[in-house]
């Protein structure tokens, strides 16, 4: 790393203490950018990096709500409007008790590069709350969402900032949030994505992140003359992204051996397929926070408190949450002959884990490239909303496949152009950066 990027990282740490995930995301990107800054001194003199690590705007607000017993609760709501150089702020909302400013800043920072890679005109943002949906009734979730939107509505809009789902925010929450926005603004617009099909949502959006990640993995495997047929796959998580990935892996002839939750992981030697995939949806909807019931229901093995990376597989797809795969997990995967790690979650692998994959020269893609199918399909939902014309399933899926292939090829070509062939992390960071940096140069000192 150059003295210049090192200095920026130490400034980020000094200025934003207690935000380790944000530091990690910045460090990972900056490690890729030295070579770009060497070739393009104009980015350095325009202080592009210093500007990109500072959000354009952060909104933090109180979210009071009442539970079913009449007790009052107060949560904290956030929206990070990170970068609007190439389009309106775009990115999901996360409701999880672990949410902090630092977590949302890391996600918003990643989102800027990811959205740039999609080829669609979207800036980067992220938001959410430390609200815990676990064990809450529908009515409680609705009251929380209405209170959250009662503040957020004045900061967002279809041409300003377009939120969507993330951990803990799915179709139900988007529905309550949209209803409240419409009521406050008296406008029916595409202000959120991930909407219901009857009221402006896009076909394939629920499946898009998982499908997209598998399309990306397929492209990576192709570079080594391989495909999913007959491959054993470890998937982590059991939420929206994991669900879409499991469907598509099965369609392509792969076998999913694991799923995981905060309680541990399940190992299903017969593969997660058919009705077992539908069961994942029930498991999520039950808000139990646990994957163990799967083992009981389908006679699979359950490993409490463990992560699925010790299982012998050909392909690993982390689809749960950040930092769920560390250096030891990476060593274990490589030792067991894993040839491809494709991230569905955001930043699930630690920097140490990445270095081990990179040294072992196995195929490894960072989430900002391989999970971009979710936000890309959100972009397609925005297009359909603007046209007031829905596309058929095949049209959306075809575009999603094309976008994932484009992102893959862009990563490969950019990594090569900057002297690190096969390094998808460098490819994604550099390609994502260049488009935003050039737009910022074009637009002057903003
Ligand atoms: P869901 O809420 O549908 O599922 C999240 C999964 O991760 C659940 O299995 C959840 O279990 C588990 N999980 C969440 N937090 C933790 C934690 N601290 N420790 C262990 N497990 C945890 O979310 P998604 O599937 O939408 O999101 C999964 C990942 O994919 C996230 O990293 C998200 O940022 C990323 N992503 C999502 C996109 C989308 O369109 N939805 C797009 C691109 C990326 P539980 O909730 O029971 O704790
Ligand atoms: O991390 C992500 O890309 C998402 N949660 C999806 C964001 C979106 O706007 O669809």
């Amino acid at each position: 790393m150059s003295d210049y990027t090192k200095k920026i990282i130490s400034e980020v740490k000094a200025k934003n203490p207690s935000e380790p995930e944000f530091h990690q995301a910045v460090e990972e990107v900056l490690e890729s950018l030295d070579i770009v800054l060497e070739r393009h001194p104009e980015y350095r003199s325009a202080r592009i990096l210093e500007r990109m690590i500072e959000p354009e705007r952060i909104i933090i607000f109180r979210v009071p709500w009442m539970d079913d017993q009449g007790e009052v609760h107060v949560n904290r709501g956030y929206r990070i409007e990170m970068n609007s150089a190439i389009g309106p702020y775009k990115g999901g909302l996360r409701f999880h008790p672990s949410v902090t400013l630092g977590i949302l800043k890391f996600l918003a920072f990643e989102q800027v590069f990811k959205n740039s890679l999609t080829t669609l005109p979207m800036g980067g943002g992220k938001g959410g709350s430390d609200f815990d949906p676990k064990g809450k009734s529908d009515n409680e979730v609705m009251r929380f969402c209405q209170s959250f939107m009662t503040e957020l509505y004045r900061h967002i809009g279809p041409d300003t900032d377009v939120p969507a789902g993330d951990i803990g925010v799915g179709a139900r929450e988007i529905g309550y949030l949209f209803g409240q926005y419409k009521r406050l603004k008296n406008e029916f617009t595409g202000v959120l994505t991930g909407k219901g099909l009857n009221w402006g949502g896009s076909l394939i959006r629920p499946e898009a992140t998982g499908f997209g990640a598998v399309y990306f993995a397929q492209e990576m495997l192709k570079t080594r003359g391989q495909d999913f047929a007959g491959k054993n796959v470890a998937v982590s998580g059991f939420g929206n992204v994991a669900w879409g990935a499991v469907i598509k892996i099965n369609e392509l002839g792969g076998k999913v051996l694991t799923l995981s939750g905060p309680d541990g992981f399940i190992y299903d030697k017969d593969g997660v397929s058919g009705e077992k995939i539908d069961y994942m949806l029930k498991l999520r909807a039950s808000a139990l926070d646990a994957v163990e019931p799967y083992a009981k229901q389908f006679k699979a093995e359950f490993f409490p408190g463990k992560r699925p990376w010790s299982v012998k597989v050909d392909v690993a797809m982390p689809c749960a949450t950040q930092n769920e795969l560390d250096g030891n997990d990476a060593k274990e995967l490589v030792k067991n002959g894993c040839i491809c790690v494709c991230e569905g979650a955001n930043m699930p692998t630690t920097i140490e884990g990445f270095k081990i994959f990179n040294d072992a020269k196995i195929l490894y893609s960072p989430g900002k490239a391989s999970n971009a199918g979710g936000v890309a399909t959100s972009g397609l939902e925005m297009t359909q909303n603007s046209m007031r014309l829905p596309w058929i399933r095949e049209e959306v899926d075809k575009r999603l496949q094309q976008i994932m292939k484009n992102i893959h090829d862009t990563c490969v070509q950019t990594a090569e152009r900057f002297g690190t062939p096969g390094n998808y992390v460098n490819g994604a960071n550099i390609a994502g950066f260049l488009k935003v940096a050039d737009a910022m140069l074009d637009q002057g000192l903003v």
Side-chain angles (χ1 to χ4, degrees):
M1 237 188 215
S2 69
D3 288 346
Y4 172 58
T5 42
K6 273 193 210 144
K7 185 168 150 266
I8 295 190
I9 289 169
S10 50
E11 277 170 14
V12 166
K13 290 181 178 166
K15 211 169 169 183
N16 308 278
S18 350
E19 297 180 7
E21 293 84 3
F22 181 54
H23 307 161
Q24 182 183 341
V26 171
E27 201 165 330
E28 188 221 271
V29 168
L30 264 50
E31 279 211 20
S32 301
L33 293 183
D34 272 333
I35 178 156
V36 183
L37 298 168
E38 235 169 70
R39 288 191 196 175
H40 295 276
E42 67 273 23
Y43 297 137
R44 189 170 161 172
S45 49
R47 300 274 176 230
I48 294 290
L49 285 185
E50 289 86 336
R51 283 150 67 186
M52 284 181 77
I53 55 176
E54 196 63 34
E56 286 180 19
R57 190 177 300 105
I58 297 180
I59 300 137
I60 302 184
F61 51 99
R62 173 168 76 203
V63 191
W65 60 280
M66 191 175 276
D67 69 19
D68 291 343
Q69 283 70 46
E71 292 270 338
V72 173
H73 300 263
V74 183
N75 283 98
R76 188 170 287 174
Y78 305 86
R79 186 73 184 164
I80 318 292
E81 296 185 334
M82 197 76 190
N83 194 304
S84 62
I86 62 168
Y89 309 107
K90 180 83 195 88
L93 297 172
R94 176 176 292 193
F95 292 169
H96 197 273
S98 64
V99 162
T100 57
L101 179 60
I103 296 247
L104 295 179
K105 277 172 68 183
F106 117 63
L107 289 162
F109 185 73
E110 292 280 291
Q111 199 81 43
V112 172
F113 297 84
K114 183 193 309 194
N115 294 4
S116 162
L117 288 169
T118 64
T119 69
L120 302 174
M122 298 183 290
K126 199 87 187 188
S129 172
D130 56 1
F131 174 73
D132 186 358
K134 186 178 167 186
K136 302 291 187 300
S137 71
D138 265 4
N139 278 332
E140 287 172 333
V141 170
M142 180 180 74
R143 285 196 291 273
F144 176 80
C145 288
Q146 289 178 340
S147 180
F148 186 86
M149 188 52 88
T150 301
E151 174 57 35
L152 187 68
Y153 89 98
R154 69 189 88 241
H155 307 289
I156 61 175
D159 297 316
T160 309
D161 183 355
V162 182
D166 192 76
I167 291 179
V169 178
R172 175 182 63 168
E173 290 74 18
I174 294 294
Y176 296 146
L177 291 164
F178 184 79
Q180 184 72 351
Y181 179 88
K182 185 162 59 72
R183 199 171 170 202
L184 291 166
K185 281 283 239 223
N186 194 24
E187 267 176 20
F188 194 112
T189 59
V191 66
L192 293 160
T193 58
K195 299 186 290 298
L197 278 182
N198 291 334
W199 41 279
S202 174
L203 285 159
I204 310 270
R205 178 63 189 89
E207 299 91 335
T209 312
F211 277 22
V214 176
Y215 292 147
F216 195 97
Q218 199 182 15
E219 291 300 320
M220 287 204 289
L221 289 169
K222 242 192 240 171
T223 65
R224 307 227 170 146
Q226 310 233 20
D227 60 28
F228 266 100
K231 295 268 184 312
N232 287 327
V233 186
V235 171
S236 65
F238 63 102
N240 171 264
V241 178
W243 168 75
V246 173
I247 296 175
K248 192 49 82 179
I249 293 165
N250 273 276
E251 271 178 39
L252 297 177
K255 190 199 250 188
V256 177
L257 293 177
T258 68
L259 297 174
S260 74
D263 56 331
F265 80 91
I266 61 100
Y267 174 79
D268 185 341
K269 65 175 177 7
D270 301 322
V272 182
S273 61
E275 56 158 340
K276 299 177 194 171
I277 303 179
D278 301 334
Y279 183 77
M280 283 173 75
L281 294 177
K282 283 195 205 142
L283 212 52
R284 273 309 283 146
S286 71
L288 273 177
D289 245 356
V291 81
E292 188 179 8
Y294 179 104
K296 296 208 171 100
Q297 183 82 8
F298 300 111
K299 299 203 171 41
E301 284 180 77
F302 176 64
F303 295 86
K306 293 259 162 31
R307 304 194 277 215
W309 314 124
S310 57
V311 172
K312 186 173 161 44
V313 288
D314 307 298
V315 179
M317 297 194 61
C319 296
T321 193
Q322 63 275 354
N323 291 329
E324 53 161 323
L325 198 165
D326 62 18
N328 289 332
D329 298 322
K331 279 185 202 146
E332 192 85 357
L333 281 166
V334 171
K335 190 184 85 195
N336 284 331
C338 177
I339 56 164
C340 173
V341 178
C342 176
E343 296 186 345
N346 284 309
M347 209 171 73
T349 307
T350 62
I351 291 183
E352 200 197 348
F354 156 63
K355 293 201 164 131
I356 287 160
F357 294 143
N358 198 40
D359 290 347
K361 301 215 173 335
I362 70 164
L363 297 163
Y364 166 74
S365 69
K368 64 171 79 68
S370 44
N371 75 29
V375 73
T377 308
S378 279
L380 300 177
E381 183 171 328
M382 289 165 74
T383 306
Q384 294 168 79
N385 291 163
S386 298
M387 296 191 304
R388 290 184 155 67
L389 200 64
W391 285 325
I392 58 169
R393 199 176 168 83
E394 289 71 21
E395 174 76 27
V396 182
D397 195 32
K398 192 178 78 193
R399 287 179 186 269
L400 171 62
Q401 286 189 49
Q402 191 58 51
I403 287 171
M404 296 317 295
K405 185 171 176 354
N406 285 346
I407 298 175
H408 174 271
D409 295 353
T410 300
C411 288
V412 169
Q413 287 154 13
T414 309
E416 213 163 286
R417 184 151 65 93
F418 285 87
T420 53
N423 186 330
Y424 287 82
V425 172
N426 280 352
N429 287 338
I430 296 173
F433 170 80
L434 286 173
K435 188 170 158 192
V436 176
D438 287 340
M440 288 173 76
L441 285 182
D442 289 347
Q443 291 169 23
L445 199 49
V446 288

